[in-house]
Amino acid sequence: MADGKVQEAGASPEQQGEFSDRVRGLRGLEHVRKEHVQWKFVYHRMQSEYDREDPKYRVAKKLYRVAEQVRADLTRQGIDQSVMLRNENALRVEGVIYAIYCTRGKELYIGQTSGSAFTRFQSHYWACKAGNKPLYKRMKRYGWRRFYTVPLEYIPAELYHASNSTERVRNFRRIATPRELFWMEKLHTYVPRGLNVKGAQRNRHRKGRKGRARWRRLQKPQSDLEQSKLQLQEGVVSLPSSPDVPFSDHAGVIPAYGRIFGYRDYVRRVSYLAHLWNMGMLHTVKLVKYADRNLWKMTRVLDAAQSTMNPEATKAILSMLRAYLMVRPQVQTEKPNGRRCIMLAWKSRELRRVPLRMIMTQPKIIAHLPPEVRPQVEDVRVVRRLIPPIGKLIFNYSKVARDLQRDDLNEADCPCRQLFDERFRPEQGCVLTGDVNIVRLCGLRQLLMYGPRFRVRMDAEPMAALSSALDEFIARLSAGLAVDKAMFAIWRRKVLAACQTRIRSHSIASRGAKHHVLSGKMQKYLRFLHKHLVLVPVDKASNNVAFVCRRKYVEALQTELSSTGEASGDAYVSAVESVTDIVGRHKRELSKCHLFDSDKLAYLYWLPKMHKRPVSQRFIAGSASCTTTSLSKVLSDVLNFVLRALRARDDDHIGRTGVRRFFVVNGYEDVADFLARWQRSPDTAFHHTRHLHTGDFSTMYTTIPHDDLIRCLKLALKEAWTWGAELTKVDVKEVAIQCGGGDVKWVRTRALCAANGYHSKSSHRLNLDGLISLVSFLVSNTYLVNGGQLRRQAVGIPMGTNCAPPIANLYLYAYESSFIDKLMAHCLAEARGFHMTFRLIDDVLSVDNIHWVKYRSLSAEEGGIYPRALTLNDTNVSVREVHFLGMSISSNAGALRLNVFDKRKEFPFRVRRYPHMQSMIPTSIPYGVFVGQLHRYYRICTTWRDFVKHAQLLAETLVRQGCRWRRLQEKYRSFIALRGRTLRWGVRSVLISHALRATRGAVSQPG
Ligand SMILES: [Zn+2]
């Protein structure tokens, strides 16, 4: 009725939506208004719903089906349930276990009553106004009319007959309570899946009652009452099994386990799985639907029940459960979809005021487009092309490293000693600092404070940027859809006009376009800095600038280039050929595969590791555009695909054996998700195994011998190819990997004519030999030009190229997997101990593995894990605490606690991170960073207090950098709200959604 009236008044669709929302809200409050409920009709509605052959709601269908089975069981055992039949006014039957279901939330509530199900529903209705139980909250939210009551089971009156009514009710409870609990278990009606509360919470809700019930753990039955309850319960657990069900054999062992493993009926679940195994249907079980903690309990029950259950069934179920629990969760990465985009050059801050997408798709504006184009425009995504950051202007490391000019000065005569203050020169040596105060010119210092990713405003004309973006968009769209450009003319004019009003109405008088990022004075000072210092990003804190004495920088680079590798002679050897020879050869070789696109060669440079004492160097091959860049990109895609294949193969292997051979992880997510799910054994016998270890390979990239590398890669690739052949069901020789168009996959291919596979401009198809030959080409053709001198990397792989990480991963994988294979052959238990090993390129983490220390100190030749050429350093804080991939993992009281590890603490200066609002970027970027980090914190933190603490710190930092509190708070609250009523820590979301507000006063917002 109300909706109809609004429509007559001609309100806009938005207003209507708002109104109907309000109506919906009011519906839940019906009971507040004094209304006369016609219970007669309510009863008829519910009873006729009960009497229907095919219930209307799915939840009811399921409920009736389960109830019928159990009633049949009960009837067989002599407890007659015929009063529960349809068309027998079952809702009026007294002394029942009943269910209440909600047609909206699909949740169930189970209760017992010595009255009838319907009268009990009525009393729930009267109580729900003041009550705070989950059921009452739901009734208030959805309106009580959306709830139906159903009697599930009849408890015959002669069972609890007594002379007075108190005694009678008490007797009834003794019988009904276990039955009620049985139904709760059976139908999983505990919060949050259902509306029943349990344990301590339940007692709290029931504190008004006499003889408070304690059902939490039935370990020590004390009173007669509890004893009798337990006996009943023991009977109850075996009730649902009928004589023809094979797992009723285990009924005898059930009570004992019930006592050990708490109340919830894990034995029933395990027996159910055994039953399925018996029927040959174990594979149909969907373990995803179980809570992880229940699966862990089930494995423990199985371990304990091994002697009483069929050993084969136990083995099959255990291996299924373990395979599920031990496989590391895959991190899903979303591919960009094929939406159309409009590229907007982001050259003016005024563009922040223009909601371009909204304007383009406004109904009255989009109406000017031909109808066939509209859906394309409606689906548009605005992509902002940002101006380059200031990094390119201020850094000079690349030029210094390429030129490599050395002044023949003694260290003591270095000009930097006179020019710069002592505090920037550690140990009275040359300049090496991350402190921007070294810059005396105020304007330049401010700019450097913002960091190299800062984008300086250059107020170009915003309208020009908009119109050119639109022109480009229209050109692409009209070409794609074969529509005349003229059809867009009116739309374009309208869009631009709407944009114009936004800009003009907010714009202050034009400030005068600024054409140079740096003023003349700043440029002059920067030239002075560049003459004596090298400005270079800091390792692991790349938004910070380090200042290094030029002489010192060059010296360190030369030392590295002429260094002798530990394993086999020099890492870099002078090449005989000239630069043009090399480029020519590369061009000849790579053009065949359409993989040549630049005739430059790479060069070596280094970044200071400011978090180490003393400061050390990270050497990187600058190869953003060099002869092998394309090759490296393709190989990186293919090898990462190979790693995924090996991982899939390993997941399969774990299921069968419980042994992990693949230690590689893709990032902190793998580790955090897995450890969050992992439960350490509570058995005290395993306490001595609780050790955490981390390590890293210090100079891995320059110590891997080439011949060993190729040998290992061949092994790993062959293994992957066997898996590929299994998947595609063809012979190994006919399997190839196809890569192109952002997609990599196994394909079947006939014998390839070319040795390197098949290549075209857009796609590459590689067989095993082709891939190996390309990898060895890349590895043996890493050339570096520094100071005009050509060197070849003879040991190790070039750090900084795209495919270095997967190559390193595969190399170490070959060693790890063969180590585990050997271990499996003579001691399976030891091999299983390694399943908690994680490695990301050169960082290793080992959890609760007593054998780790023994085998990591041995080299592969002596029966250990890793080759002698590499040294694995211990990086533990202690055996109870380690830092790994930005996480701090600590072990206390048996549990693993994960927290975000703040690397900034390791640096001697204040680390600048996250974009600054003063930068020439859309406002959405810093807030996007905020949400991104919240995701990271949420995944890592095991306690919600840690999460809140880090969120607060982050919000404070962002506010200092110009973000608005209110908007950050909105983002935070919607992040929490998205995760539903209960967060992963089991706390109510309301609790922490207000937490950010607390610190607001602490930070003042900049003007
Ligand atoms: Zn110096």
Side-chain angles (χ1 to χ4, degrees), residues 411 413-417 425 429-431 532-533 548-552:
E411 203 182 328
D413 298 338
C414 186
C416 76
R417 312 269 164 131
R425 299 187 275 115
C430 279
V431 173
H532 299 285
L533 302 178
V548 189
C549 166
R550 192 181 176 122
R551 193 195 57 78
K552 190 173 172 158

Side-chain angles (χ1 to χ4, degrees), residues 430-445:
C430 279
V431 173
L432 176 59
T433 182
D435 187 355
V436 280
N437 287 319
I438 195 169
V439 179
R440 296 227 185 93
L441 191 68
C442 182
L444 189 62
R445 183 168 65 230

Side-chain angles (χ1 to χ4, degrees), residues 31-48:
H31 66 283
V32 177
R33 283 176 281 148
K34 279 199 173 159
E35 65 172 327
H36 176 69
V37 182
Q38 298 258 337
W39 285 114
K40 201 167 64 184
F41 296 122
V42 176
Y43 173 76
H44 280 299
R45 185 164 57 94
M46 286 186 180
Q47 183 65 52
S48 63

